[in-house]
Amino acid sequence: MAGDFNILGMVGSLRKGSFNRGLMEAARERLPEGANLTVADIGNLPLFSEDLESDMPSAVRTLKQQVERANAVLIATPEYNYSVPGVLKNAIDWASRPYGQNSFNGKPVAIMGASIGMLGTARAQYHLRQMFVFLNMYPVNQPEVMLPFASQNFDSEGKLTNETTGRLIGELLEALVGWSRRVGD
Ligand code: FNR
């Protein structure tokens, strides 16, 4: 793959001090050579409505352009009520529209997640994988990065302290780049 490898990050929490934002920053520190990371601002998107599709809001146009320009997508998400947080679902729905102009089409994607519960976002991650079928995305299968008991695994500045998870994030990024060489454009 020639040139830079552009990864678009999406974080499913808008919370100041979000553990999942912390995972994304941990990924930034472990990028493979030649890869760069831009994190999308999904907090400024309006709530999805098909009525707005004929004249896409500018924040949506920006997101769609970022997705289309990326070689791969990296998602860090919490689990809300055993599933994907609405803020992330809203962003995914927007970038997948209008019908026939799904910006995610054919994109490689990797997932990671942190929760304060004991399953470390497993249920939300499998719901995302279900969406990837309809979105025609190519998810990295392994490693699975699911960090439980998140409050014990970040320092007071929000930096990841769990070395195993840090190593897994590095492996996930390597796998994303390698997988993209095989399936991406
Ligand atoms: C949660 N949380 C949560 N945790 C979990 O493991 N499984 C779940 O189903 C839920 N459900 C849930 C719903 C809602 C509405 C909230 C606000 C929270 C707790 C969640 O793991 C915790 O708030 C994390 O800290 C959220 O991630 P960030 O914001 O730190 O990235």
Side-chain angles (χ1 to χ4, degrees):
M1 192 176 302
D4 288 346
F5 186 85
N6 302 317
I7 301 175
L8 182 69
M10 298 175 79
V11 179
S13 170
L14 305 182
R15 188 174 76 83
K16 282 196 202 86
S18 157
F19 299 126
N20 287 281
R21 171 71 58 170
L23 287 186
M24 191 60 78
E25 290 311 311
R28 192 189 297 286
E29 291 170 7
R30 292 166 175 81
L31 289 172
E33 208 180 317
N36 63 76
L37 173 69
T38 301
V39 180
D41 183 3
I42 64 172
N44 66 355
L45 296 169
L47 288 178
F48 178 80
S49 164
E50 280 193 77
D51 292 339
L52 304 179
E53 281 188 326
S54 53
D55 184 16
M56 287 289 205
S58 70
V60 176
R61 276 188 268 119
T62 300
L63 176 66
K64 283 180 71 65
Q65 206 172 59
Q66 286 179 313
V67 173
E68 285 160 24
R69 286 182 181 162
N71 298 103
V73 176
L74 175 66
I75 295 176
T77 188
E79 175 174 282
Y80 281 1
N81 298 310
Y82 284 15
S83 190
V84 178
V87 68
L88 178 60
K89 183 66 162 60
N90 186 55
I92 290 172
D93 290 344
W94 267 125
S96 72
R97 298 292 294 177
Y99 182 74
Q101 294 174 46
N102 166 22
S103 302
F104 291 116
N105 186 33
K107 294 282 171 198
V109 58
I111 323 171
M112 51 189 184
S115 82
I116 59 173
M118 63 188 292
L119 292 188
T121 73
R123 291 160 294 218
Q125 292 201 23
Y126 293 131
H127 284 183
L128 273 175
R129 287 180 186 274
Q130 186 175 321
M131 289 177 212
F132 296 154
V133 177
F134 188 70
L135 293 166
N136 193 35
M137 298 184 83
Y138 299 125
V140 171
N141 286 331
Q142 289 179 8
E144 293 185 299
V145 181
M146 299 170 175
L147 179 61
F149 311 122
S151 52
Q152 298 166 28
N153 290 296
F154 291 84
D155 68 17
S156 56
E157 253 109 63
K159 200 174 162 67
L160 180 69
T161 54
N162 185 304
E163 284 176 22
T164 304
T165 302
R167 181 177 50 75
L168 286 174
I169 291 172
E171 289 174 16
L172 182 71
L173 291 166
E174 293 286 351
L176 181 61
V177 174
W179 179 230
S180 301
R181 282 203 189 98
R182 292 169 65 183
V183 302
D185 42 41

